[in-house]
Amino acid sequence: MKLLMIDDEPLELEQLSYLVKKQYPNWDIFTAEDAFEARQLLKTHSFPLAFVDIQLPGDTGLDFCEYLRTNDYDTEVVLITAYQDFSYAKQAIRLDVLDYLVKPVIEKELLKVIEDFLAKNAYMETKSVLINKVLDIVHEDYGQKLQLTDLARKVFVTPTYLSKKFTEVTGVKFTDYITNFRIQKAKQLMTDHPEWSLLQVAEEVGFSSQHHFSNLFKKIEGITPSQFKEKHS
């Protein structure tokens, strides 16, 4: 996802970028030190979300928000200011901004705002398209360590949102789907490569240990992996 940050203090931009990148390393962050520079970026990029300092040289952050709304840019805005001024808050409400943060920005509050944005918008994806993207990743990378939090970052939604929508679309929980998919891949490997050890099979499909693999295999298939191999050898 592309994220826009506007602040006339380079250190503030650097700090905000660092905090976001720490949580969402795959996001593309664009920075501007005034509204004019930000408007130039809008000519060639689309930004679902922008963090905008109110106190800018030239046009203020509020002026920039007005520009976005007047020109129908589909960009959610979080205003940032060093002053707790109620008049700013009133104008922010009028401009329908997503939220309002006071400097120095606290990491927890920053990430909460981003999570709220992701939950609200789901990055403009329908849930079926979103889950298909996740399934593509699972089917490609099932042999690697897969965690819901990592996948959520890749598709730009919160883990809570992804977990809920995954169950709604597939009818099973995320962890159960991966486990079943890995077991089916393991069965295929044992059939195609009878010479492979159970440890090789377990590692190939992404299980952390042969013991864990064997327990889950028996729970799902009703027989042990060894019995399956014997049956299909």
Side-chain angles (χ1 to χ4, degrees):
M1 187 176 84
K2 291 182 179 180
L3 182 66
L4 176 61
M5 293 183 175
I6 313 172
D7 198 307
D8 61 333
E9 299 179 34
L11 287 178
E12 289 289 340
L13 288 174
E14 184 178 336
Q15 175 67 5
L16 282 176
S17 298
Y18 168 76
L19 292 176
V20 173
K21 276 286 188 181
K22 189 167 69 169
Q23 185 71 13
Y24 301 97
N26 296 322
W27 285 14
D28 294 322
I29 298 177
F30 292 76
T31 60
E33 294 187 15
D34 57 40
F36 174 79
E37 190 178 346
R39 288 195 295 270
Q40 295 303 111
L41 288 172
L42 286 170
K43 292 179 179 180
T44 53
H45 301 283
S46 176
F47 300 103
L49 180 62
F51 286 88
V52 182
D53 184 24
I54 289 181
Q55 298 293 333
L56 295 172
D59 287 347
T60 67
L62 292 169
D63 293 330
F64 180 73
C65 287
E66 193 79 59
Y67 173 82
L68 290 174
R69 299 295 172 256
T70 302
N71 291 276
D72 295 322
Y73 283 100
D74 192 16
T75 302
E76 293 268 24
V77 174
V78 177
L79 288 173
I80 301 177
T81 181
Y83 308 98
Q84 290 182 311
D85 190 319
F86 183 65
S87 65
Y88 286 153
K90 286 197 298 184
Q91 291 181 72
I93 292 170
R94 180 178 63 81
L95 291 167
D96 193 29
V97 302
L98 180 66
D99 215 325
Y100 181 91
L101 296 175
V102 177
K103 293 181 180 179
V105 175
I106 299 171
E107 180 177 4
K108 183 178 179 181
E109 293 179 355
L110 173 68
L111 297 180
K112 176 65 167 59
V113 166
I114 293 176
E115 287 181 2
D116 288 345
F117 164 78
L118 293 174
K120 177 182 176 182
N121 293 276
Y123 195 47
M124 311 307 175
E125 300 279 12
T126 63
K127 64 183 181 183
S128 59
V129 172
L130 177 71
I131 300 309
N132 282 335
K133 284 187 176 183
V134 173
L135 291 175
D136 285 343
I137 296 172
V138 171
H139 296 168
E140 182 73 23
D141 299 334
Y142 64 89
Q144 303 174 24
K145 184 178 181 180
L146 290 174
Q147 292 186 324
L148 186 69
T149 52
D150 296 330
L151 287 176
R153 286 182 192 144
K154 288 184 178 180
V155 294
F156 311 114
V157 296
T158 65
T160 301
Y161 181 89
L162 178 56
S163 177
K164 179 181 178 183
K165 296 307 174 185
F166 192 95
T167 302
E168 286 180 7
V169 173
T170 66
V172 296
K173 293 181 179 179
F174 175 75
T175 52
D176 291 340
Y177 182 92
I178 290 181
T179 298
N180 277 281
F181 187 80
R182 285 171 168 163
I183 293 298
Q184 300 312 309
K185 285 294 182 180
K187 288 166 62 179
Q188 182 181 333
L189 284 175
M190 286 188 286
T191 301
D192 295 343
H193 302 280
E195 76 280 5
W196 282 22
S197 69
L198 293 182
L199 178 59
Q200 281 180 288
V201 173
E203 290 178 343
E204 185 69 18
V205 298
F207 286 102
S208 57
S209 71
Q210 181 182 330
H211 178 71
H212 184 53
F213 163 61
S214 296
N215 284 343
L216 288 174
F217 191 98
K218 185 175 182 180
K219 181 179 179 180
I220 292 172
E221 297 296 325
I223 59 175
T224 66
S226 298
Q227 291 170 329
F228 179 89
K229 284 187 70 174
E230 289 175 10
K231 188 177 178 180
H232 292 82
S233 58

